[in-house]
């Protein structure tokens, strides 16, 4: 059977669909598919959330109860908001009630599931293990961050404003040229109802010791916070 070919600005795919009219069952075999994340429709109208090339291979068994099967994933050139995450491998597993996705990269791993009910309930985790982030912006050359910790997101994907995120960073090191500061202890993070809260933020380094708490309103862009301590002058001007 000749493959079905799908081509567009964001997607290139070859697939084979077979169907048994008597049993009313079928099989969709995805021979290859590539998705350009920067022009993919969910965020193509605004600033791209992510960039990179996503490749999928696998298949689904189809019947009156739905689809069952999965795909192998590979992402190259992955970047999120200008921060390079390199390459990642993973999988998608689909059954009539849910879709589960797993991705493993260098220094990070993400896993999550979406229920196929009316609310599209989401549960996802992100684990960081000494992940190094270096912004691609030229004016921030020499700035880098190393992170370890974990986050969990839960809520209805059908109503993204109700999704809540909670977790902590056990390690956060900020490098500014030859200078650096780091967390003295684990920092707590929580996002709910459009409010991002950071508690237990204490940064220490040579001639630096600063403690703070922050609140950020993602709707208005407003920031509230309080802090005390001192930074080395060389660090502030780096």
């Amino acid at each position: 059977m000749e493959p079905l070919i799908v081509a567009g600005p964001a997607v290139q795919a070859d697939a084979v669909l077979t169907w048994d009219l008597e049993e009313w069952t079928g099989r969709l075999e995805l021979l290859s598919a590539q998705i350009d994340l920067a022009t993919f429709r969910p965020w193509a109208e605004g600033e791209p959330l992510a960039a990179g090339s996503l490749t999928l291979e696998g298949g689904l068994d189809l019947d009156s109860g739905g689809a069952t099967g999965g795909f192998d994933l590979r992402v190259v050139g992955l970047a999120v908001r200008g921060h390079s995450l390199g390459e990642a491998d993973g999988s998608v597993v689909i059954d009539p009630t849910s879709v589960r996705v797993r991705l493993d990269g260098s220094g990070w791993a993400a896993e999550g599931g979406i229920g196929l009910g009316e609310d599209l309930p989401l549960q996802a985790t992100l684990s960081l293990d000494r992940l190094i982030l270096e912004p691609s912006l030229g004016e921030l050359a020499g700035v880098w961050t190393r992170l370890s910790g974990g986050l969990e997101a839960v809520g209805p994907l059908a109503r993204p404003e109700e999704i809540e995120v909670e977790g902590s960073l056990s390690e956060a090191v900020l490098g500014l040229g030859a200078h650096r500061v780091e967390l003295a202890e684990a920092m707590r993070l929580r996002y709910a109802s459009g409010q991002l809260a950071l508690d237990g933020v204490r940064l220490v380094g040579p001639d630096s010791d600063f403690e703070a708490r922050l609140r950020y309103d993602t709707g208005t862009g407003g920031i509230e916070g309080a802090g005390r301590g001192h930074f080395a002058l060389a660090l502030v001007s780096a």
Side-chain angles (χ1 to χ4, degrees):
M1 179 177 292
E2 291 294 321
L4 303 172
I5 298 175
V6 178
V11 179
Q12 299 283 333
D14 294 342
V16 173
L17 175 64
T18 57
W19 194 263
D20 187 322
L21 294 176
E22 292 185 359
E23 299 292 334
W24 207 246
T25 60
R27 172 78 179 173
L28 175 65
E29 196 71 32
L30 192 59
L31 305 178
S32 67
Q34 286 192 329
I35 300 175
D36 182 351
L37 296 177
T39 54
F40 191 48
R41 274 297 120 192
W43 47 75
E45 298 302 328
E47 180 183 356
L49 170 65
S53 178
L54 170 63
T55 302
L56 303 92
E57 294 182 357
L60 297 173
D61 294 314
L62 310 171
D63 59 27
S64 60
T68 302
F71 304 95
D72 293 326
L73 303 180
R74 180 164 179 78
V75 188
V76 296
L78 178 61
V80 177
R81 295 298 191 196
H83 295 281
S84 175
L85 296 179
E87 301 181 354
D89 294 288
S91 63
V92 178
V93 177
I94 299 173
D95 64 37
T97 63
S98 67
V99 176
R100 294 203 60 82
V101 180
R102 178 187 57 81
L103 274 176
D104 293 305
S106 177
W108 64 275
E111 184 172 0
I114 300 173
L116 299 181
E118 181 179 352
D119 290 339
L120 298 175
L122 167 73
Q123 188 276 329
T125 60
L126 174 65
S127 300
L128 308 175
D129 184 10
R130 298 176 68 81
L131 172 68
I132 294 179
L133 297 177
E134 296 181 276
S136 57
L137 301 176
E139 64 267 23
L140 294 179
V143 177
W144 57 271
T145 307
R146 188 175 70 228
L147 303 172
S148 297
L151 300 173
E152 181 178 21
V154 295
L157 197 58
R159 299 186 299 280
E161 68 278 5
E162 296 182 19
I163 292 176
E164 298 184 359
V165 180
E166 192 163 1
S168 65
L169 291 177
S170 57
E171 175 191 41
V173 181
L174 174 63
L176 298 161
H179 310 282
R180 55 186 278 175
V181 292
E182 58 187 292
L183 283 177
E185 55 193 30
M187 179 188 76
R188 300 179 302 281
L189 179 154
R190 177 173 171 78
Y191 171 82
S193 302
Q195 303 286 325
L196 175 64
L198 303 178
D199 291 306
V201 182
R202 185 184 172 202
L203 298 171
V204 297
D207 299 319
S208 300
D209 191 338
F210 188 80
E211 192 172 352
R213 61 175 179 81
L214 297 172
R215 301 291 185 271
Y216 173 61
D217 188 316
T218 58
T220 65
I223 299 176
E224 295 181 5
R228 61 180 181 179
H230 62 277
F231 276 118
L233 182 60
L235 178 65
V236 175
S237 61

